[in-house]
Amino acid sequence: MPVPEFSTARSLLSARAVRARAEILLKAGLDGRLDHFVVDLDRLGPCADVVVETIRDAYPDLAIPYHARWRHFSVGGFERWGSLVHAAPFEDPAEQARAAFDLVVVSVLLDAGAGPTWRYEEGRTGETYARSEGLAVASFDMFVSGLFSSEPEDPFRADARALATLTEAELADGFQVTPTNPLVGLSGRTALLNRLGQVAAADPEGFGPQARPGFLFDRITARARDGAVSAEAVLEVLLTHLGPIWPGRIVLDGVDLGDTWRHPLAGGTGPTEGLVPFHKLSQWLAYSLLEPLEEAGLTVTGLDALTGLPEYRNGGLFLDTGVLALRRPEEAAQAHPVESRLVVEWRALTVALLDRLAPLVRERLEIADPADLPLAKVLEGGTWATGRRLARALRPEGAPPLAIASDGTVF
């Protein structure tokens, strides 16, 4: 089947483009033409076996939720969002959905690698969390405190004025950052939320009269037909209105391409030749908006149009199970910038291999219909959890198998 062509800037703002360019780089890997990685598809079966082991242990009834930020908000068995909604009910389902969007947009944008030593101590439970769970609980506490709202009488929201003026010191305080508790990429995270505020203020069509990320709920529901909206439409809204927030990235024909990088073997024609889109945080956000949309009464269709997420847990899974191997093992000890060919290859291979792994997982679980276990659940059940489990067993602090020099806005 021929690979679809994506030759204009806006054509790269889609999951289809992510998948297509990832497939091109996987073929290059299978042909032995990549600079940094060797691919062994014979290891996909054993990889699927360890993923299924994780799923059966965590979800023996196979009632797997979506891979979404909401899982982190309920870490430790405490339903933080549910408790908030119960204690301070919103006036109607749409306003509750907007507040949920406000929370999850900000929290996902803050969800890049925290580093191996950072910790967050939660006051309400006395528990201490790290990595994604710690970032989620910290961002939830900041949301509840009204840090992201400019209206003291309406704290449970995020708006342009508060986000655009948020300082690094305020965010550091919210994350409990100290010289002995450093957080990777703090300045990048602050700048990202500042840009979100600036973009929201300048885009009333996307963010509404209150300049809130939550108004993206209204933009998505406007795409619905007969109570249903496609996952592709959800992602398109996010990529269209959040594109300008990304720092110093590729702009083509006036279009901000966000999480898009260069690799000479990525194919394409014209101005998009050699460009590899990933849109990791945007797709993670799209997955995380499924539940608020469904709770508001919408059906989200075509979930598998979105791709797997090219981040270090999924990517680490393939390295730790031998599906991928470095041509030069010594490169594992070096810190690689996100724009490097090594990282671009790793991320693209992760996307394409997740598409091949998911059917093997379903087959082992005797699930015939992909709709019964979409990729959003394979990731959660799943590949992300297995990547973390293997990392904890193999390396101190559960570090990923490759070191990434992150700016706090990609991983």
Side-chain angles (χ1 to χ4, degrees), residues 78-391:
F78 186 63
E79 292 292 339
R80 293 163 182 82
W81 174 251
S83 297
L84 173 64
V85 170
H86 179 75
F90 294 93
E91 60 186 36
D92 59 55
E95 186 52 35
Q96 179 173 315
R98 293 184 193 106
F101 269 50
D102 281 336
L103 167 62
V104 83
V105 168
V106 171
S107 187
V108 165
L109 293 181
L110 290 170
D111 187 35
T117 62
W118 177 81
R119 299 291 184 270
Y120 181 78
E121 184 177 345
E122 184 182 25
R124 70 173 62 82
T125 64
E127 297 294 326
T128 298
Y129 300 105
R131 299 191 181 275
S132 282
E133 289 86 350
L135 294 169
V137 174
S139 61
F140 183 88
D141 285 347
M142 286 184 266
F143 177 82
V144 171
S145 76
L147 180 63
F148 307 126
S149 171
S150 64
E151 302 291 341
E153 72 283 358
D154 188 11
F156 306 144
R157 65 180 235 178
D159 60 57
R161 198 184 332 164
L163 293 168
T165 58
L166 185 72
T167 67
E168 186 172 329
E170 288 174 319
L171 202 59
D173 184 60
F175 280 126
Q176 301 175 354
V177 173
T178 67
T180 58
N181 190 38
L183 176 67
V184 170
L186 181 63
S187 61
R189 294 171 210 266
T190 306
L192 192 60
L193 291 192
N194 292 158
R195 281 192 296 274
L196 173 61
Q198 295 157 8
V199 168
D203 180 10
E205 179 185 356
F207 297 93
Q210 296 176 325
R212 290 173 54 183
F215 197 74
L216 294 172
F217 167 75
D218 300 79
R219 295 273 52 79
I220 290 169
T221 55
R223 303 284 192 96
R225 296 292 179 269
D226 298 322
V229 65
S230 71
E232 284 185 294
V234 174
L235 181 62
E236 183 182 346
V237 168
L238 299 179
L239 292 174
T240 297
H241 294 289
L242 294 178
I245 73 174
W246 305 109
R249 304 277 171 76
I250 298 169
V251 177
L252 192 61
D253 297 332
V255 178
D256 292 278
L257 295 182
D259 185 9
T260 297
W261 310 91
R262 299 187 186 278
H263 194 287
L265 300 182
T269 58
T272 73
E273 182 177 0
L275 295 180
V276 189
F278 294 113
H279 309 310
K280 180 260 178 178
L281 280 178
S282 297
Q283 293 202 80
W284 172 228
L285 180 53
Y287 283 128
S288 297
L289 296 179
L290 298 178
E291 284 153 274
L293 289 166
E294 290 177 349
E295 288 169 8
L298 284 175
T299 298
V300 184
T301 61
L303 295 185
D304 277 355
L306 302 180
T307 77
L309 299 181
E311 44 75 50
Y312 63 82
R313 292 306 183 199
N314 289 323
L317 167 68
F318 293 119
L319 279 166
D320 286 337
T321 57
V323 180
L324 296 179
L326 286 167
R327 289 190 179 278
R328 293 172 290 278
E330 64 271 17
E331 289 184 324
Q334 304 165 13
H336 302 277
V338 293
E339 70 273 14
S340 67
R341 285 191 191 179
L342 184 147
V343 173
V344 174
E345 288 177 11
W346 186 34
R347 298 181 78 198
L349 293 169
T350 297
V351 169
L353 290 169
L354 285 168
D355 277 344
R356 282 160 174 72
L357 184 65
L360 300 180
V361 171
R362 295 185 191 110
E363 179 183 289
R364 284 158 171 75
L365 293 172
E366 299 181 345
I367 295 174
D369 187 351
D372 292 334
L373 191 68
L375 191 55
K377 296 185 176 184
V378 174
L379 295 172
E380 177 61 26
T383 58
W384 189 90
T386 305
R388 170 180 275 190
R389 175 168 68 86
L390 294 178

